[in-house]
Structure formats: C-alpha cells, structure tokens
Amino acid sequence: MVDARPAVQALPAYRPGRNPADLARELGVARAVKLASNEVSFPPLPAVVQALAAAAAETHRYPDNGAVVLTAALAERYGVDPAQVVPGCGAVMLCQQLAQAFNDPGSSIAFAWRSFEMYPLLAQVAGARAIAVPLVSGRQGGPADTHDLEALAAAVDGTTRLVFVCNPNNPTGTAVRRVELERFLDAVPAQTLVVLDEAYREFVTDPDVPDGIELMRGRPNVAVLRTFSKAWGLAGLRVGYLVAEDPAVADAVRRTHVPFSVSVLAQAAAVAALASEDEVRRRVAAVVAERDRLTAALRERGFDVADSQANFVWLPTGDRTAELAAALEARGVITRPFAGDGIRITVGAPDEDDVLLAALDAVALERSAAATPGG
C-alpha cells in the first residue's frame, strides 16, 4: 500500500457550501437560499458574458501561460510594472504558491486566528510551523474579532518566512486601520514576507482602512493578494492575482504555478470585468447598502454584529453555533458555521436576506415557546 505523507493524511476534507437546490428537494420546499460562500447575487457582467462567448471558440487551444493581456491590464490599473503582477487560479492557489515558494520544513507561517481557514493548512502541507495569534475585541466589550497586530509582530521570529494579514478579515469582516497596519509593517523583519490578503477590498467603506497596494509601495517585503471571485462576480472561473513590490517575490511565486492554470475563459472574463468597473462599483454599492440593512436587522434581533467591511456579516454565536446553523438549514437557509466561534452570513439579495431574517425569527419563536412553562 502506498501511503500519502502524514501531513496530507491529516488534512481535513474541504467542505463547500451545500447546493440550495439539493436542500430544497430534501426539505420539500420550493426554495432554499445559500448565504455561505460570499458570492455576489448579481448575474455575470454583460461584457463578461460576451467575452466568454468569444473565448469559447479558442478553448481547443492552451491558454496563454503568462496571462500577458490580463497581467498588463492589472499592471496598468495599479501603476506597477507587469513583472510585479502574478495572476493565478484564484487567490487561494496563490496562497499555496507563496508557501511553496518561501517555506521549507522548519520555517513558519504566522497569521491571526480565526482567519482564512487555508492558512494553517498551507503550513501543514509545507511542513512549516503555524503561528496562530488569537484575535482580540475590536470594540469595548465586544467579542474577539479583530487582528492583534502588536501580538502578531511579536510572534514573528527568525523562522517566519510568511505572514498573512487578512484585511478585511474572513470570517469576521473586521479590518485593521492605517496607523496600526503601517506600524506593523515597519516592525516586521525585512526577511519576512507580509502578504496583505485583500479578497474583499472592494467592499471597504471605512476611509481609515488603507489600500494595501498603496502601503506596499516602497516596502519590498510586502505583497497584496486580490481576487475576481467576489466583487467582480467570477467565482466560477477561478482567477486571482498577486501584486508584489519586489519583482523577485513575484518571480518566485510565478515559478511555482501550475502551467496553464488560468484558463482561456478566466483570462478573457477578467479582462472584460476590469473594463466594466463602473458597473462593478454600482453593484458593490448595492451590496454595501444591503449589508447595512442586514446588520441593523440582526442587531434588532439581539445579535452582537460588528461593522463589516466585506460582503458578509459575522454572528459571534459561540457554543450555540452548530445548533443555530442547523436550525437555519432546516428552514432552507445555508450559512457558514465555524464550530464554537460563530456563523458567517453572506450578504445576499434583499429577498434572500428576508428569508434569513424570517428563519431567525422562527427559531427565536420556537425557543421562546420551548422556554415557556407548559409550552
């Protein structure tokens, strides 16, 4: 028998969000809603649909391995050299490439926790030590939901090759601000690469939360990750990108990519999406407005919801997490629970969020009845 490496055998299986059509059939209801994967509820951009139709005629050919057109478009957008830009098969693949490029067994990767669930798995696969620094409360009396950058900087040691700062943080939606982030970047040793993971950057409305690409400039040990999966609506095509201040960092990541992993369709769609930025901004504004409505409605129901800077909200439900998520699913609402911590809920279309709120009300009513003597 051929055995996989112990580190690989120990990896938990990835569990994607349930298919809402499957859940609806299981429950015998007309509709279930999925608020688990932080997708936008809008259909693909019209320009993307047109680009995909045109590109489909080329799918018998391999894609451009260097994604030259997309790389040039991103470089122009951010005012950097194309040598600083690396497209990839989603930002998560670029995270893996970063670990492959910079971590040897015995090195370490540092990150806040709870944060993006791939970070500890990257360390495990690379044979690196995971340095998980607990979150702290972002507001007086609130739950632990925000990066402790001072503790994260103190945790970095001579073995630390990578530090991930997820900003806004997934799954809590909170974000660290300019002064604290600049102080942190100045404190990290020059030989440690800080990766600002900004998958949700487009949804940030707090003016004190800085653009990571602007903070990156002049700091050769800083790189920024972004994705087309969220605000740009290309989750099904898998395309993200890294921008590094030091072209040598980008070159190292480029060397670890799987050849042709950014498909013909993904490249064409991403270029078309970039050319549709005005429409994307309108869609983002609609998501933000709905985020505000959903946040207010959840607070009215007694949930301690922090101001989110992403396209999801976080319910710090602690030990009640699994029970509440199961109760919502039984009512046709799919969320993303993190056992013992909380539930991440994607900001959906208004009618989808209304289904969620009605389900929460039904759960509360049932609990109230159960708690009433004779109920």
Side-chain angles (χ1 to χ4, degrees), residues 142-197:
D145 59 9
T146 303
H147 279 64
D148 184 347
L149 290 182
E150 185 174 343
L152 187 57
V156 172
D157 60 27
T159 71
T160 308
R161 303 301 312 282
L162 279 179
V163 179
F164 285 101
V165 178
C166 192
N167 201 40
N169 187 46
N170 176 13
T172 62
T174 60
V176 291
R177 294 175 171 80
R178 179 179 300 277
V179 172
E180 293 84 359
L181 191 50
E182 287 182 335
R183 186 184 302 126
F184 170 78
L185 294 177
D186 290 341
V188 173
Q191 68 271 20
T192 299
L193 179 65
V194 178
V195 179
L196 303 178
D197 187 345

Side-chain angles (χ1 to χ4, degrees), residues 291-314:
R291 180 180 75 193
D292 292 344
R293 183 184 82 93
L294 179 59
T295 298
L298 290 168
R299 287 172 177 167
E300 288 172 1
R301 287 161 173 80
F303 291 98
D304 186 7
V305 183
D307 290 334
S308 173
Q309 295 297 309
N311 70 332
F312 56 84
V313 295
W314 173 249

Side-chain angles (χ1 to χ4, degrees), residues 266-322:
Q267 292 184 40
V271 171
L274 287 172
S276 303
E277 185 168 359
D278 288 346
E279 175 59 23
V280 171
R281 288 182 182 275
R282 284 191 288 271
R283 293 180 174 198
V284 165
V287 172
V288 168
E290 179 62 10
R291 180 180 75 193
D292 292 344
R293 183 184 82 93
L294 179 59
T295 298
L298 290 168
R299 287 172 177 167
E300 288 172 1
R301 287 161 173 80
F303 291 98
D304 186 7
V305 183
D307 290 334
S308 173
Q309 295 297 309
N311 70 332
F312 56 84
V313 295
W314 173 249
L315 303 187
T317 45
D319 293 340
R320 297 190 298 117
T321 295

Side-chain angles (χ1 to χ4, degrees), residues 103-124:
N103 282 98
D104 288 315
S107 65
S108 63
I109 300 175
F111 47 87
W113 194 253
R114 176 174 291 276
S115 190
F116 183 38
E117 59 194 307
M118 278 298 298
Y119 299 154
L121 304 183
L122 294 172
Q124 190 170 337

Side-chain angles (χ1 to χ4, degrees), residues 45 47-48 51-52 55 228 234 237 239 264-274:
L45 294 157
V48 165
L52 289 172
F228 284 94
L234 303 185
L237 289 170
V239 54
V264 169
L265 297 177
Q267 292 184 40
V271 171
L274 287 172

Side-chain angles (χ1 to χ4, degrees), residues 16-302:
R18 289 198 64 183
N19 183 295
D22 291 343
L23 179 61
R25 282 192 295 271
E26 179 183 309
L27 296 176
V29 296
R31 180 195 188 199
V33 299
K34 180 184 176 187
L35 301 175
S37 300
N38 300 342
E39 302 141 326
V40 292
S41 59
F42 296 98
L45 294 157
V48 165
V49 174
Q50 294 173 12
L52 289 172
E58 299 297 323
T59 53
H60 62 302
R61 305 290 187 187
Y62 284 111
D64 171 13
N65 192 46
V68 171
V69 175
L70 175 56
T71 298
L74 289 166
E76 181 178 0
R77 174 182 173 82
Y78 295 115
V80 297
D81 191 278
Q84 296 173 254
V85 179
V86 188
C89 184
V92 67
M93 177 62 79
L94 288 161
C95 287
Q96 182 171 313
Q97 291 174 234
L98 283 158
Q100 291 173 327
F102 294 101
N103 282 98
D104 288 315
S107 65
S108 63
I109 300 175
F111 47 87
W113 194 253
R114 176 174 291 276
S115 190
F116 183 38
E117 59 194 307
M118 278 298 298
Y119 299 154
L121 304 183
L122 294 172
Q124 190 170 337
V125 171
R129 181 168 55 98
I131 302 175
V133 176
L135 298 173
V136 294
S137 175
R139 62 197 192 284
Q140 188 171 4
D145 59 9
T146 303
H147 279 64
D148 184 347
L149 290 182
E150 185 174 343
L152 187 57
V156 172
D157 60 27
T159 71
T160 308
R161 303 301 312 282
L162 279 179
V163 179
F164 285 101
V165 178
C166 192
N167 201 40
N169 187 46
N170 176 13
T172 62
T174 60
V176 291
R177 294 175 171 80
R178 179 179 300 277
V179 172
E180 293 84 359
L181 191 50
E182 287 182 335
R183 186 184 302 126
F184 170 78
L185 294 177
D186 290 341
V188 173
Q191 68 271 20
T192 299
L193 179 65
V194 178
V195 179
L196 303 178
D197 187 345
E198 295 188 332
Y200 300 93
R201 172 63 204 174
E202 291 84 357
F203 300 102
V204 171
T205 54
D206 184 341
D208 289 333
V209 177
D211 183 320
I213 291 178
E214 295 308 312
L215 287 191
M216 174 197 79
R217 300 183 196 277
R219 291 183 167 94
N221 68 329
V222 176
V224 177
L225 274 176
R226 292 193 182 169
T227 183
F228 284 94
S229 294
K230 310 304 180 186
W232 302 87
L234 303 185
L237 289 170
R238 311 307 303 128
V239 54
Y241 57 97
L242 176 136
V243 183
E245 176 67 0
D246 185 352
V249 169
D251 179 66
V253 175
R254 204 174 286 115
R255 289 170 184 267
T256 60
H257 92 293
V258 175
F260 309 116
S261 57
V262 186
S263 72
V264 169
L265 297 177
Q267 292 184 40
V271 171
L274 287 172
S276 303
E277 185 168 359
D278 288 346
E279 175 59 23
V280 171
R281 288 182 182 275
R282 284 191 288 271
R283 293 180 174 198
V284 165
V287 172
V288 168
E290 179 62 10
R291 180 180 75 193
D292 292 344
R293 183 184 82 93
L294 179 59
T295 298
L298 290 168
R299 287 172 177 167
E300 288 172 1
R301 287 161 173 80

